[in-house]
Amino acid sequence: SSQPTVVNINDLASLVEAYKFRASKLVEMASKNLQAELQHSKSNEDAWNNNSIDLVRASDAHCHYVFFKTYSDKIMCVKHGDTAVHSVLSTLALLYALHGVALNSGDFLQAGLFTVPQLAQISQRLKGLLSELRPNAVALVDAFDYRDEMLNSALGRYDGNVYEHMFEWAKRSPLNHTEVHESHHKYLKPLQSKL
Amino acid sequence: MNPDISRERENASFNPEILTNILDGGAEKTRRRREIESLVIGDPDFQHEDLNFLSRSERYDAAVRKSAQMILKLREYGISDPEEIYSYKSIVKGVYQEPFGVHFVMFIPTLNSQCTAEQHKKWIPLAESFRMLGTYAQTELGHGTHIRGLETTATYDPSTQEFVLNSPTISSIKWWPGGLGKTSNHAIVLAQLYTQGKCHGLHAFITPIRCMKTHMPLPGVVVGDIGPKFGFDEVDNGYLKLENVRIPRENMLMKYAKVEPDGTYVKPPSDKLTYGTMVFIRSMIVGESARALSKSCTIAIRYSAVRHQSELRPGEPEPQILDYQAQQYKLFPLLATAYAFHFVGQYMSKTYHRISGYINQGDFSELPELHALSAGLKAFTTWVANAGIELCRMSCGGHGYSRCSSLPDIYVTFTPTCTYEGENTVMMLQTARYLVKSYKQARAGQQLTGTVSYLNEPQSRIQPLSV
C-alpha cells in the first residue's frame, strides 16, 4: 500500500534501504535457486553445494546491510552532539556506502536499484567525497588515539619524523653489530683466494 | 614535529579528542584507558629489544616473560574490569600475540560458561592463579571448521568412573591450539563422547597434559610445538596426541550435557551450546578487525601525509602523496570501513552479552540468530580487514615492506582470523543456512525478529532515482 521509495545517493537512510533491498533480493534469489535445484530430484546436500556461490553472496549482502545499518544508526546518535564531528562521520559513512555500491554494482543493477547512468553519478560523487575528506584524514586517524608504543611503526609515528626513525631502527639490525660480518672471513675470503 | 603533519592537524575541521571520546564511549573512559596505557609505557619491566631482531625462541622467551610480568602487574594495580584488563593487555602485546592468549580468551571463559557450580569452585581458582595454564584443543590435523568430523574419542568407563581419551588416527592429533606446545599444563579437549556403546557427539573435557609440579608431559600425552608459522612467532601453537589418557568423570564440562556415574547420558538443551566459546571469540573478532584496520590506516595515512613523490604539475615541488586521488581512493574507503567496524564491533559485543545473558537464564530462542550473526560478521570483517591491511601496506610504497613499518606484523598477526574459529566461507554458508530458513518462515507468514526481520517486508517499496 505504501508508495515506492526512491534511492537518494546523498541520504544515508535511503542508502540503508537500498542495501536492505539488495540483501533481500540476493537471499530470495539464493533460496529460489536452491528450491529449483531440489525440484530436479537432487538431494538436499547436492542442491546446497550447487548453490553455494549464491548462498555466500547472499550472506555477504546480508552482513553488508547489517554493517551499514549499524554504522548509520550510530551516526544518528551522534547527531545531537558536536556538529563538526557529526559532519565528518556522515561524510565517512556516505563514502562507505557509495564505495560499497560501486564495488558491488552488479548486485545493485540486477536488483533494479540503480541504473547505469546513476553508477557514473555515484562514481563522480565518490571523487567529491574523497576531496571533502582530504583535509581531515590525519585528524581522523589521530582520533583512533594509538600511541607510538602501540603502533611500533616508524612510518606511522605521531610526530611524522619517519626517515629519522627508519634510519635509527636500521642501525639496530643485528647485521650491523660488527662492521665486517663473520661470513666474509668464513666464506668470501676463501672463495676469493681460490679464484 | 614534521611540518607537513603539523599543517594537516591545523587544517582539520573538527576536534579529534571529541571523536576519540565517542569511540571510547565517553570522556571518562578515554581518560581511564590512557591512564592504563601509561602504566605499561612507563614501566621498565616491559622494555625490550625490538622483537623483529630476535630469533623465534628468543621471541617466545621474551613473550612469556612479558606475560608473567603482566599478570603480576594486573594484580598489583588491582585492575579487574574486563575492559580495563583488555586495554592493559593490548598495550603490553602491541601488534604481537602472547603465549597466554588462549588461557585468557578461551580457557577461562569456557570454564566460566560450561562448568557446573562444583566444577567452577574447583577449577576457576586454579586457572585464575595460573597454577593451571590452559588452552582450548579443538582443531585436529585432519579436521578444522567441520567439528562434527573430529575424531578424538572420550570413552566412559563406569568401572573406574573415568573417561579414556584417545587420538585414534594420525589425522586426529590436535593441531594448532595456541600455548599448547610448551606453555600449558591443561587443555580443554573437544572429543566425541562414547558411553554405553553409543556416540553422543562432541563434548569438552578438562585434560591435564603436563605435571603441575615438574611441567613434564604426563603418561600417554605426546605434546610439542608445531614449528614456525606465517606469523605468531611468540606463540607455541602445539600438537597433542592422547594415548589412553584417563581422566575422572568430573573433568567433563557438565553444565549442560551430563554423564551419570553409571554411564547414562543426559542431553544438553541445545547442541550449539558446545560451541559457545567459539561464538564468543567470533563476536570479539569483529572488534579486532576494527583495531587491525584502524592501526593500518593510521600508519598509511600519516606516512602519506609526510611522503612527497613525483610531481602533479611540471616544475612544482613534489606533492604529499595523500594529494593524489588514486592514493585517496585506496585509503579513505578503508578509513571509513575502520570506523564502521569499530561501531559494529561494539554492537556485536553488546549483542553477544545480551543474548548470552538470556541463554544463562535458560532462554535459547535467540541462539540461532547469535550463531548466524557472529559467524557472518566474523567472516565479513576479517576478509575486508585482511585485504585492507595489505592495501595499506602497498600504499606505503617500498617502505611498507620493511618490518619497521609494522604493517607486515599487523598482516601476519591478523591473517589467521580468516581461518581460526571457523573458516570464512564455511561461516558464510552457516549464515546462509539461517537466512534461507528465515526466508522460508517469512514466506509462510511468520513474523521474524532480529537482523533478518527485513525479510518480512514487501520488496516493491524502492525504485531507482532518475538521473
Side-chain angles (χ1 to χ4, degrees):
Chain A
S1 60
S2 55
Q3 285 295 307
T5 313
V6 170
V7 183
N8 178 350
I9 64 164
N10 287 306
D11 178 53
L12 290 179
S14 181
L15 285 162
V16 168
E17 286 296 304
Y19 271 82
K20 180 163 76 179
F21 191 79
R22 169 199 173 216
S24 180
K25 273 280 179 198
L26 288 178
V27 172
E28 181 184 44
M29 195 178 81
S31 302
K32 283 184 174 169
N33 288 349
L34 195 62
Q35 200 55 41
E37 189 93 10
L38 277 168
Q39 279 162 5
H40 290 94
S41 69
K42 299 244 182 183
S43 71
N44 266 329
E45 293 74 16
D46 285 340
W48 186 263
N49 187 36
N50 290 342
N51 283 285
S52 49
I53 296 171
D54 296 339
L55 290 161
V56 169
R57 212 170 130 205
S59 285
D60 190 69
H62 169 75
C63 293
H64 210 161
Y65 157 66
V66 173
F67 249 88
F68 181 45
K69 186 179 182 318
T70 310
Y71 193 7
S72 182
D73 288 350
K74 178 71 191 180
I75 287 161
M76 296 299 162
C77 297
V78 183
K79 207 169 192 172
H80 303 292
D82 187 277
T83 323
V85 167
H86 179 254
S87 164
V88 76
L89 279 179
S90 300
T91 309
L92 271 178
L94 203 53
L95 177 71
Y96 178 81
L98 295 183
H99 187 251
V101 172
L103 286 184
N104 300 283
S105 53
D107 290 352
F108 287 94
L109 282 173
Q110 207 176 354
L113 285 161
F114 295 104
T115 58
V116 173
Q118 270 185 295
L119 290 179
Q121 206 181 30
I122 286 172
S123 177
Q124 283 307 315
R125 184 74 183 102
L126 259 178
K127 290 176 196 169
L129 289 170
L130 296 178
S131 301
E132 274 179 50
L133 280 171
R134 168 65 186 86
N136 283 319
V138 169
L140 277 165
V141 296
D142 284 349
F144 290 132
D145 202 25
Y146 291 118
R147 293 173 67 152
D148 285 340
E149 292 84 352
M150 289 178 81
L151 285 180
N152 196 29
S153 168
L155 270 60
R157 290 185 60 86
Y158 184 82
D159 64 13
N161 294 327
V162 172
Y163 301 134
E164 293 84 341
H165 284 94
M166 285 182 76
F167 189 43
E168 284 307 311
W169 185 84
K171 283 195 278 191
R172 281 160 39 209
S173 167
L175 285 180
N176 294 326
H177 286 172
T178 53
E179 286 295 334
V180 180
H181 195 261
E182 60 182 66
S183 62
H184 182 83
H185 304 295
K186 268 163 68 183
Y187 307 115
L188 293 183
K189 273 285 165 200
L191 171 74
Q192 286 164 344
S193 68
K194 283 177 193 163
L195 296 176
Chain B
M1 186 75 73
N2 175 289
D4 285 319
I5 213 151
S6 295
R7 201 167 44 250
E8 293 290 335
R9 292 186 176 118
E10 285 159 15
N11 291 339
S13 70
F14 71 99
N15 178 1
E17 182 68 12
I18 296 170
L19 192 46
T20 304
N21 295 162
I22 293 169
L23 292 170
D24 282 328
E28 176 53 28
K29 286 203 171 171
T30 303
R31 187 201 62 76
R32 180 62 179 149
R33 175 179 56 75
R34 286 178 180 157
E35 188 177 46
I36 288 170
E37 286 171 1
S38 298
L39 286 175
V40 180
I41 288 163
D43 191 333
D45 284 339
F46 291 125
Q47 307 306 317
H48 55 78
E49 176 57 292
D50 190 316
L51 293 177
N52 286 305
F53 297 138
L54 304 181
S55 69
R56 182 165 173 243
S57 187
E58 288 168 332
R59 287 173 81 142
Y60 172 70
D61 188 82
V64 174
R65 182 179 70 77
K66 251 170 57 165
S67 293
Q69 289 284 358
M70 181 182 76
I71 292 158
L72 291 174
K73 306 264 172 181
L74 282 167
R75 297 281 155 95
E76 186 186 327
Y77 297 133
I79 298 172
S80 57
D81 176 76
E83 268 183 49
E84 294 192 348
I85 291 174
Y86 181 86
S87 264
Y88 191 88
K89 282 178 62 188
S90 64
I91 186 97
V92 172
K93 279 190 330 186
V95 295
Y96 304 102
Q97 290 298 318
E98 52 147 351
F100 294 170
V102 179
H103 179 89
F104 279 110
V105 299
M106 293 193 85
F107 187 69
I108 292 180
T110 307
L111 294 182
N112 274 322
S113 63
Q114 303 214 22
C115 277
T116 62
E118 253 176 49
Q119 288 176 323
H120 197 274
K121 217 167 133 187
K122 177 179 176 183
W123 299 113
I124 291 290
L126 288 169
E128 286 186 342
S129 64
F130 294 90
R131 284 196 290 279
M132 237 176 138
L133 285 162
T135 184
Y136 190 83
Q138 179 178 292
T139 307
E140 297 171 357
L141 248 175
H143 301 277
T145 305
H146 178 60
I147 50 181
R148 285 197 302 280
L150 295 175
E151 295 176 275
T152 305
T153 56
T155 310
Y156 185 65
D157 177 357
S159 66
T160 57
Q161 296 194 9
E162 288 173 322
F163 291 101
V164 186
L165 271 68
N166 268 299
S167 310
T169 58
I170 185 88
S171 55
S172 72
I173 294 171
K174 295 290 179 188
W175 198 269
W176 275 118
L180 174 64
K182 294 288 163 194
T183 311
S184 302
N185 56 24
H186 282 74
I188 289 172
V189 171
L190 274 286
Q192 303 289 353
L193 166 67
Y194 285 86
T195 178
Q196 296 177 336
K198 259 186 84 181
C199 179
H200 295 281
L202 211 60
H203 289 74
F205 300 85
I206 299 175
T207 310
I209 53 174
R210 287 175 182 271
C211 171
M212 287 170 80
K213 283 183 185 154
T214 63
H215 206 62
M216 286 297 287
L218 293 169
V221 171
V222 182
V223 66
D225 173 73
I226 62 166
K229 294 121 345 198
F230 192 40
F232 273 58
D233 286 333
E234 301 73 33
V235 180
D236 52 324
N237 293 73
Y239 59 77
L240 172 69
K241 187 170 187 290
L242 299 160
E243 296 168 343
N244 290 314
V245 174
R246 287 184 166 263
I247 57 167
R249 188 181 69 91
E250 295 75 33
N251 283 29
M252 175 175 150
L253 294 177
M254 293 213 222
K255 182 168 181 182
Y256 299 110
K258 289 180 179 60
V259 172
E260 303 289 3
D262 67 352
T264 306
Y265 177 70
V266 182
K267 271 176 76 168
S270 164
D271 290 343
K272 288 190 169 72
L273 289 166
T274 312
Y275 322 133
T277 308
M278 277 210 299
V279 172
F280 166 67
I281 301 295
R282 283 175 200 156
S283 305
M284 298 305 122
I285 285 175
V286 180
E288 283 302 320
S289 305
R291 277 176 280 277
L293 190 57
S294 55
K295 280 181 181 175
S296 304
C297 286
T298 304
I299 294 165
I301 288 178
R302 282 184 184 160
Y303 176 67
S304 300
V306 169
R307 176 77 176 187
H308 290 250
Q309 188 83 20
S310 194
E311 47 184 25
L312 266 173
R313 291 170 207 91
E316 285 190 4
E318 290 184 310
Q320 292 162 282
I321 57 172
L322 200 56
D323 284 335
Y324 288 100
Q325 191 185 60
Q327 184 78 348
Q328 294 168 9
Y329 187 64
K330 279 184 195 170
L331 294 175
F332 294 173
L334 288 176
L335 178 60
T337 308
Y339 271 91
F341 281 12
H342 192 95
F343 296 133
V344 180
Q346 289 173 342
Y347 161 81
M348 193 62 236
S349 174
K350 273 183 201 157
T351 304
Y352 172 81
H353 287 109
R354 180 177 60 78
I355 299 179
S356 56
Y358 297 152
I359 292 168
N360 287 336
Q361 289 162 13
D363 174 3
F364 301 103
S365 58
E366 289 192 61
L367 186 57
E369 160 92 2
L370 176 65
H371 214 257
L373 190 65
S374 64
L377 294 191
K378 177 264 189 193
F380 184 83
T381 52
T382 55
W383 266 334
V384 172
N386 200 49
I389 297 163
E390 175 63 354
L391 189 52
C392 285
R393 187 186 70 76
M394 288 193 287
S395 304
C396 295
H399 292 332
Y401 191 63
S402 169
R403 298 281 277 270
C404 80
S405 74
S406 208
L407 290 165
D409 284 318
I410 295 173
Y411 184 72
V412 295
T413 304
F414 187 76
T415 296
T417 59
C418 293
T419 39
Y420 68 52
E421 311 316 322
E423 192 279 327
N424 277 355
T425 303
V426 180
M427 293 297 94
M428 281 300 196
L429 288 169
Q430 281 191 12
T431 305
R433 203 171 286 279
Y434 180 68
L435 290 173
V436 170
K437 195 176 152 195
S438 302
Y439 173 81
K440 282 182 190 163
Q441 287 172 340
R443 289 297 86 106
Q446 281 185 47
Q447 195 58 43
L448 303 174
T449 56
T451 56
V452 290
S453 57
Y454 66 91
L455 294 173
N456 281 124
E457 293 179 19
Q459 293 194 348
S460 55
R461 289 187 50 231
I462 203 157
Q463 66 177 37
L465 173 74
S466 52
V467 180

